[in-house]
Structure formats: structure tokens, C-alpha cells
Amino acid sequence: MELSQHNNEQCTWLIDLPNGQTLEESGDLYDISIKLKHYYKYPIIAAKIDRQIYSLKYYPKKSLGKVKFIDYKHPDGQRIYQRSLVMLLLKAVNDLNDNQITSIEHSLGKGIYCQIHEALSHELVQLRYQDIINIENHMNELVKEDLSFEKIQTSLSDAQNYFNNQNRQDMSKLLTYRQKDTISMYRLDDYKDYLFGVCVPSTKYLSCFKLKHYMPGLILQYPDNNQPDSISNYTEQPRLFEIFRESQKWNKVLGVTTLTDVNECIEQGKIQELILVNEGLHEKKITKIADHITDSKDRIKIILIAGPSSSGKTSFADRLRVQLKVNGIQSVPISVDNYFVNRENTPLHADGTYNFESIAAIDIEQFNNDLMQLIQGSAVSLPRYNFKTGKREYRGQTVKLEPNQPLIIEGIHCLNEVLTEQIPKGNKYKIYVSALTSLNFDRHNRIPTADLRLLRRIVRDHQYRGNTAQKTINMWQSVRRGEDEYIFPFQEEADVMFNSTLIYEIPLLKNHAEELLKSIPYEANEYVEAQRLLRFLSFAVSISEKIQIPCTSIIKEFLGDSCLKL
């Protein structure tokens, strides 16, 4: 499709506004976005035209359908802002020292953790506080210059030569898996790079950011989605950061630091060994957690497991129970879901729908009373929630704990002290489970762990719940809002974190997710998100169905055939 910057032809566009109105406007989309900005609460930074997202300066020469402007509040708007901010950082570092390369590592709070390496030796640069100030000052200078993000089309071979000359062999190798002969890159003044998606029109759109010194690197902070003009105070997350450091160390030991490395393992017939080592690492971590609980069995009465959607909590809980059995401990599972309040007492969202993710949807008083009685050695009749009738029922299930027999409780609120407020902290052991890391495409393009979890859920919901990929994507933003409110704020309260990511899972999920995503019709609102996921899956080499995945693997919770049904 031919794109144009500042179209000479006077196209006429039908603009869908947030208030439900449709306006007919002629001319350049960039100018129209400025003219109509008063209709939007947040800054407009891109446009969706006929189920595709475009820069405000690069779009089809002819109108193909209605236009919906994308502002910062929209998830795509946030991705575009953060992507553009990353390129601004990359240019600033390159301007200050072109012998250094920035690596975009992972999200950390409302920011992205980055490191800087020497280009030739790849040795990590230990950044000083003054280095951070210099980089941030230069980024602000670039914002004031209002430099354009210029989209350029080039051949795949020319792009690979460019990246090889820039000591970016990681990107050059990744492009060998691209299925087209050309590629669109972005140029910011004299700096060029390939980023997975569109950018803002110019640097003036990126006035809100902050750099934080975080040894040995830095954190690129961006605005909260509800406050696009301010940066929140950074909240330390030492446990989470330690997981990232551990993962980085293990990936280097395995010789796998990017998706390209996994692709090469598959092509060279080495993926089976990688799978077994990765699964062995998971088992080692679970065993260590079980041993720690065993060492404190006289004190620990309840084991609380929390994590966001599709994090692998169920499989983790079952594997932990197995390891506790190995240590002679017979644990008893309890589901928080069975303590939902009756449907008529469930809190509501602002739109009047039931808010099942709120902690107020749980009968906390009854839950705590039952826990206390169990810990004190009494027999307790446990409820079973009937999701069809919206009522708690009692079906004769009575439980009594033996000495040193802990409860394993799994639920999204398990790290929140309010859920178990009557239980002394010393009697609790809290575990946070999530896909905390993900292999990046290359040094500059990361794969958000939320995307990894979404792919897991798409495959699982189709496998077990009969849901289409379209339905799962439609629900995802609501799920994410619940995570932001009820899970992530408490993750540092955990005694231990378990990273459920498997470095081989993207190629494996590709086998199952691609056809589901391709089935989403063009006219569906979820089509754009499906195409975004398909684009990044296209860079992964599929794993053969003949490859053996252990039946205890967390990934089997989503693919099926798990033997963890205790």
C-alpha cells in the first residue's frame, strides 16, 4: 500500500469522534488531528484507518474508510509513545557516544530498564549518575528541536548491511526470518532503526519522560496511562529486579538471549536439550521453594499463591504440592473462588457490570473464620461456589488439618493482607507467580510479558473454554485493568517470586495461536490486535510437534495434555 507524507491530494475523511459523532474533514490527517484535539481528553498521536494503525504523517494516499484517532489513553497509543521514547533514548546515547549500544531489557514499574554496552566488546558500561543527567538533558534538547520521525522504505538486504555495519548483528540475523523483501525503518535526524510499529510524528510529542539511575543501567520512565503529562514517583521493586537479573544470567549460560537464538537452536536441532534444561531450571526453583517451606513447617500454616492471568499458577501449585510430598508434607488445597459473595452482593463496575476481580467480591470474614478454625485443628465444612446460580453451597466437604499440614491457597488477591487479615503474618508464606521475563526480538525491540500471557490465554481459552481468539482479545483490557488494581501493587509483598516464562514457548505457542488469530474477521474491532500479534509471531520458527515437552511443564496448562491433575 502506497503511503504519503503530507498528502498533496485533498482526501476527504470520515472521523469517528469519542462522543459518537462522525465528522467529514478534508486535508492532511496531521492538521486535522490538531484541529479536532479539543474532542479528546488526551493527546492524539496516531490514527486507525480501515483496521490498520498509521502515523499521522504516513498513511494511504486515498481514504479507505473511517478514521479513529488514537490518543495516549488507548493501549496502542501507549505502545506508540513508549516505542518512540525508546528511539529518542537510542539516538541520544548514540549522539553522545557512537561506540556504545543501548539494550532495551524489560519493563520495571512504569518504566523500561535499559543497559548500555560497548559496541565492539559488548562489555557492560557501569553508568554513573552524571551519565544519566547528560543523556536526559540531550533527550530534552532533541524534544525542543521537534525532529520528525521519518519513515523510510528499504530493501531487506540493505537493512541487514546497515545493521551489520552498526554492530547490530542481532537485528541483522532477525531480519533473515522476515517474510518480505522490503522493510520500513524510522529515521530520527541521522539515526536509523527498525522498530515494531509506528512512531509519533515528531519529538515534541515526547515531552513527558524521566531517566532514573538504576545500577548498572537506567530506567526510562513514561507517563501513567491516566496522567499523560506527569511522571509518578518510582516505586522500588527489588524482588522483581532480582528475578530479571537471575533470568539474564541464566540466558547467558544457556547461550540464548534473543528470539533469534531460539530460532537457531530449532534450526540446528538443539531445541530438545534447551527445553529439558529450561524445565530442569523450573523444577530446581520449585524444589528450592518447597525445601524452604519444609524448613519452616512448624511456623508456616498457609501457602498463598497469586499472579496475573495465564501466569501458570495452577500448574505451579500442583508441582509445589508434589515437591512438598517428596519432603513428607501432605498439603491441602483451598480455592478462594469458592468464597465469592452471592451474586446479588457482588460489587459493580461504573458501567453496572459485575466486578468479580474486586476483593470486595470475596466473603473475607467467612474465609478468615474458616482458615483460623483449620489452623487451630478444628474440622471445617468447606463451601463450593455455584457459578450458574451465583450462590455458595455446602456439599459435605469437611477438612481437618493434621499437625504440620499446610493449606495451599491460590487466587488473585492472595498477596493482599486484607484477604487473610486474621492470620498472623508469621504463619503465611506468599508466592508470586508470573511470566516475569520474555526473550526480546533483538537489543532494541522487546516482547512485553503481557503479550506472552495473552497468547497463552488465547490458546488455553480455545482449548478448554471454547472461546475464540476474538473473544479473548476483547476481554483482555478488562483483565489487565484488574491486574493493575488488584495484583501488581502487591507483588513485592511476596516471600518469593517464581518466573514461569519458558524461553522456548513463543515458537511453541505459534503452532497453536496463529490459526486462531488468523480466524478473526477483518471487520472485527479485535483484528488490529490480532495482526500485531501475528507480525511478531512471524519472526519465530515453529517447533516441530515431534519435540517432547514434559507433561509437568507449565506450558502444558495452556496447550493441554498436562499430567498435573492432583
Side-chain angles (χ1 to χ4, degrees):
M1 183 181 296
E2 191 174 2
L3 304 183
S4 173
Q5 181 185 20
H6 289 296
N7 229 320
N8 291 325
E9 300 177 18
Q10 285 295 304
C11 289
T12 298
W13 311 91
L14 293 176
I15 313 293
D16 278 351
L17 298 174
N19 61 9
Q21 285 183 271
T22 299
L23 295 182
E24 185 175 293
E25 295 284 343
S26 297
D28 183 273
L29 280 183
Y30 175 78
D31 295 333
I32 294 173
S33 71
I34 295 173
K35 178 182 177 181
L36 301 181
K37 65 180 182 181
H38 61 280
Y39 285 101
Y40 296 80
K41 184 177 179 181
Y42 302 95
I44 298 171
I45 57 179
K48 183 186 293 185
I49 310 171
D50 202 27
R51 296 295 187 267
Q52 291 193 56
I53 296 174
Y54 294 95
S55 163
L56 293 174
K57 290 189 176 181
Y58 298 92
Y59 47 82
K61 283 188 173 181
K62 293 184 178 180
S63 174
L64 300 180
K66 288 185 178 181
V67 174
K68 287 188 176 181
F69 285 122
I70 296 174
D71 63 11
Y72 186 78
K73 177 70 173 178
H74 193 280
D76 286 313
Q78 293 164 41
R79 277 192 283 265
I80 291 167
Y81 190 95
Q82 292 168 25
R83 182 185 303 125
S84 306
L85 201 56
V86 163
M87 187 157 179
L88 180 66
L89 170 66
L90 296 173
K91 172 171 169 53
V93 173
N94 187 74
D95 284 353
L96 295 173
N97 191 334
D98 59 6
N99 292 318
Q100 294 180 341
I101 293 178
T102 306
S103 60
I104 309 302
E105 297 291 335
H106 49 73
S107 61
L108 195 60
K110 295 296 182 181
I112 304 171
Y113 176 70
C114 311
Q115 293 179 340
I116 295 177
H117 302 259
E118 296 294 346
L120 295 177
S121 67
H122 298 289
E123 183 177 344
L124 178 63
V125 176
Q126 299 287 334
L127 294 176
R128 301 165 301 172
Y129 180 69
Q130 188 58 48
D131 295 327
I132 308 302
I133 293 176
N134 293 341
I135 297 170
E136 183 175 272
N137 287 342
H138 188 49
M139 290 176 70
N140 281 314
E141 291 171 0
L142 296 173
V143 169
K144 290 177 182 178
E145 290 181 34
D146 193 20
L147 300 173
S148 293
F149 283 85
E150 182 184 356
K151 195 170 187 178
I152 54 176
Q153 195 82 3
T154 184
S155 69
L156 199 61
S157 59
D158 285 347
Q160 288 177 299
N161 289 334
Y162 169 76
F163 287 117
N164 282 327
N165 291 333
Q166 297 295 314
N167 292 303
R168 289 282 312 287
Q169 284 75 23
D170 55 328
M171 174 54 77
S172 179
K173 287 181 181 179
L174 182 68
L175 291 181
T176 62
Y177 300 99
R178 183 171 170 80
Q179 299 169 0
K180 296 181 180 180
D181 295 330
T182 60
I183 189 171
S184 294
M185 298 174 64
Y186 271 98
R187 178 163 54 207
L188 189 57
D189 195 21
D190 58 348
Y191 179 80
K192 292 191 299 183
D193 211 336
Y194 175 61
L195 302 174
F196 281 49
V198 305
C199 288
V200 297
S202 69
T203 55
K204 77 175 182 180
Y205 284 74
L206 304 174
S207 59
C208 191
F209 69 90
K210 187 177 180 180
L211 297 188
K212 176 179 175 58
H213 190 207
Y214 210 85
M215 293 181 63
L218 62 88
I219 296 175
L220 174 61
Q221 293 182 262
Y222 48 78
D224 184 88
N225 59 343
N226 293 316
Q227 296 177 308
D229 56 353
S230 65
I231 301 293
S232 302
N233 291 330
Y234 183 77
T235 302
E236 291 289 338
Q237 297 177 295
R239 293 186 186 277
L240 186 59
F241 187 65
E242 186 56 36
I243 289 289
F244 290 133
R245 290 179 64 122
E246 181 183 76
S247 176
Q248 189 180 57
K249 180 174 68 176
W250 268 97
N251 288 349
K252 287 181 179 178
V253 169
L254 295 173
V256 176
T257 58
T258 65
L259 181 59
T260 303
D261 295 330
V262 177
N263 286 344
E264 291 180 343
C265 280
I266 296 170
E267 292 173 335
Q268 295 168 8
K270 299 177 180 178
I271 190 63
Q272 186 70 75
E273 180 180 0
L274 185 66
I275 290 170
L276 293 175
V277 173
N278 200 173
E279 293 291 346
L281 174 61
H282 267 197
E283 198 63 38
K284 183 176 181 178
K285 297 290 292 185
I286 295 171
T287 301
K288 186 176 180 181
I289 293 170
D291 289 345
H292 190 266
I293 293 170
T294 303
D295 290 342
S296 303
K297 62 182 179 181
D298 294 335
R299 173 180 63 84
I300 296 173
K301 304 302 181 183
I302 61 174
I303 301 163
L304 296 151
I305 301 173
S309 175
S310 304
S311 58
K313 298 185 294 297
T314 301
S315 293
F316 171 84
D318 285 339
R319 287 174 69 170
L320 179 62
R321 288 172 62 198
V322 169
Q323 288 299 331
L324 288 172
K325 282 184 179 181
V326 171
N327 292 351
I329 295 176
Q330 185 78 26
S331 56
V332 176
I334 287 184
S335 173
V336 177
D337 287 356
N338 286 326
Y339 286 85
F340 273 122
V341 297
N342 290 335
R343 188 70 44 81
E344 65 268 20
N345 298 322
T346 303
L348 304 176
H349 288 292
D351 61 2
T353 58
Y354 289 118
N355 184 358
F356 295 111
E357 294 175 318
S358 169
I359 195 167
I362 305 297
D363 187 342
I364 294 174
E365 183 178 358
Q366 185 62 52
F367 183 65
N368 277 263
N369 287 341
D370 286 356
L371 291 185
M372 283 299 297
Q373 289 188 57
L374 285 168
I375 288 173
Q376 292 167 2
S378 301
V380 174
S381 179
L382 297 180
R384 173 77 64 175
Y385 195 81
N386 188 324
F387 286 91
K388 290 184 178 179
T389 64
K391 303 285 186 181
R392 267 204 316 276
E393 301 172 350
Y394 288 86
R395 303 176 184 176
Q397 182 188 4
T398 301
V399 172
K400 182 179 181 182
L401 298 181
E402 299 299 326
N404 297 328
Q405 189 176 25
L407 294 166
I408 290 186
I409 304 170
E410 176 199 333
I412 66 171
H413 300 293
C414 278
L415 299 187
N416 188 340
E417 276 295 314
V418 173
L419 180 69
T420 53
E421 57 188 356
Q422 295 182 28
I423 312 301
K425 286 188 177 182
N427 295 138
K428 294 183 274 195
Y429 189 83
K430 297 180 179 180
I431 305 172
Y432 180 73
V433 178
S434 187
L436 295 170
T437 61
S438 180
L439 287 178
N440 290 344
F441 291 106
D442 66 298
R443 285 186 180 273
H444 294 172
N445 291 281
R446 65 190 186 93
I447 301 173
T449 54
D451 285 350
L452 189 64
R453 291 191 292 108
L454 174 55
L455 287 171
R456 285 179 172 186
R457 181 155 178 166
I458 287 170
V459 173
R460 184 199 65 189
D461 284 7
H462 173 75
Q463 180 88 355
Y464 293 109
R465 303 178 184 179
N467 288 348
T468 63
Q470 181 178 345
K471 183 176 181 180
T472 301
I473 292 174
N474 178 265
M475 295 164 45
W476 188 241
Q477 286 308 312
S478 176
V479 172
R480 297 279 287 122
R481 285 193 295 271
E483 293 170 353
D484 286 340
E485 186 172 356
Y486 301 115
I487 299 176
F488 297 148
F490 303 101
Q491 59 189 9
E492 284 290 326
E493 299 295 319
D495 294 291
V496 66
M497 290 186 174
F498 178 80
N499 183 9
S500 69
T501 304
L502 293 156
I503 57 178
Y504 66 86
E505 68 179 284
I506 291 175
L508 191 61
L509 288 168
K510 175 179 180 175
N511 294 347
H512 301 264
E514 270 192 325
E515 290 306 313
L516 299 176
L517 291 167
K518 288 177 180 177
S519 69
I520 295 179
Y522 180 77
E523 61 273 11
N525 290 329
E526 296 77 18
Y527 178 82
V528 172
E529 179 70 350
Q531 292 303 305
R532 184 182 71 83
L533 294 171
L534 283 168
R535 277 195 296 274
F536 99 60
L537 285 176
S538 70
F539 284 92
V541 174
S542 296
I543 292 179
S544 169
E545 296 291 342
K546 296 180 181 179
I547 294 297
Q548 297 295 311
I549 310 296
C551 68
T552 55
S553 175
I554 279 175
I555 200 65
K556 287 290 189 176
E557 179 179 327
F558 308 97
L559 303 181
D561 297 326
S562 174
C563 57
L564 292 171
K565 296 178 181 178
L566 304 179

